Amino acid sequence: MSADHARPRRRLFAEGTTIEDLKTYMAPFAATLGYKLNTESEFVDEVLASELEILADTGDVYCPCRVRTGDPKEDAMIVCPCIPFHMVQFAAIRKCWCGLFIRYDVEDGGELLGVIDEPELGAQVEVPVCRVNDLAPGQTKHVKAGKTDYALARVGDEFYAISNVCVHAFGPLADGVLEGHELACPWHGWRYDVRDGTTNHPDADVAAYPVTVRHGYLWLTCAL
Ligand code: SF4
Ligand code: FES
């Protein structure tokens, strides 16, 4: 028996799992990330049928369009739906690699099938990073989108995001103290305005990013 076969299986993905079971599991999960199953239902069924074959073979629903390494830790990134790991890139191309999932606002998923354009570097994308209820007034929170770390802050019912990295010595700003709109770095106390990332130290501002509230989530606009 291979190491893959020895891995515990999620209950839902036991023998006898059907395409409908996969849809029932995946659709709500993907919805919280701003995605839905492609509107091309035949294509969806084909991809999920492939995933069921892979499930029978390996014990998990790995992506049919990605190569497995055999290392469960590394391959965990391509267990479907893999959206959280590729959130920024997928937001830019408005679908997952193969198009099983499309962004919530794409009306005709068929138009994106077969489109393999690499997203343009620097393109602006919006990604959901946190539930509104997970950030209380006066609190901050560290989130990661793509390769970048952000500090979210809530002042009353206004939400802000700045880089999580202090310019002084790379302190984690989300661990700092928020007073009004000022966030003090936890390491040496430099203070940043969460509305625009400015600080009173010369040439030491951090980037600020727009935050939008949608469907109970905070969506961050960031660059690839
Ligand atoms: S690229 Fe699409 S099909 Fe492949 S694992 Fe990710 S979500 Fe699933
Ligand atoms: S690292 Fe932030 S003030 Fe020093």
Side-chain angles (χ1 to χ4, degrees), residues 166 168-171 173 185 187-190:
C166 178
H168 178 221
F170 314 119
L173 292 177
C185 178
W187 286 1
H188 316 98
W190 281 25

Side-chain angles (χ1 to χ4, degrees), residues 39-76:
T39 50
E40 293 287 312
S41 52
E42 265 183 43
F43 173 76
V44 168
D45 287 354
E46 273 171 33
V47 176
L48 293 179
S50 301
E51 294 196 8
L52 286 179
E53 283 172 23
I54 295 170
L55 171 65
D57 199 31
T58 67
D60 219 331
V61 283
Y62 292 107
C63 184
C65 55
R66 315 293 294 281
V67 177
R68 293 186 303 282
T69 65
D71 173 355
K73 247 190 187 167
E74 208 168 312
D75 288 344

Side-chain angles (χ1 to χ4, degrees), residues 149-217:
D149 293 279
Y150 302 89
L152 296 179
R154 178 171 181 172
V155 181
D157 276 334
E158 300 294 325
F159 298 90
Y160 304 96
I162 59 175
S163 163
N164 193 46
V165 184
C166 178
V167 175
H168 178 221
F170 314 119
L173 292 177
D175 294 346
V177 176
L178 184 65
E179 286 175 346
H181 289 96
E182 272 197 343
L183 177 57
C185 178
W187 286 1
H188 316 98
W190 281 25
R191 300 175 82 81
Y192 294 87
D193 189 321
V194 292
R195 290 170 291 194
D196 56 11
T198 53
T199 177
N200 54 2
H201 293 270
D203 299 324
D205 299 347
V206 293
Y209 305 86
V211 178
T212 313
V213 177
R214 194 182 303 132
H215 310 309
Y217 275 76

Side-chain angles (χ1 to χ4, degrees), residues 51 63-65 78 80-82 90 96-98 100-101:
E51 294 196 8
C63 184
C65 55
I78 56 167
C80 191
C82 67
F90 288 173
C96 73
W97 297 127
C98 68
L100 174 59
F101 294 100

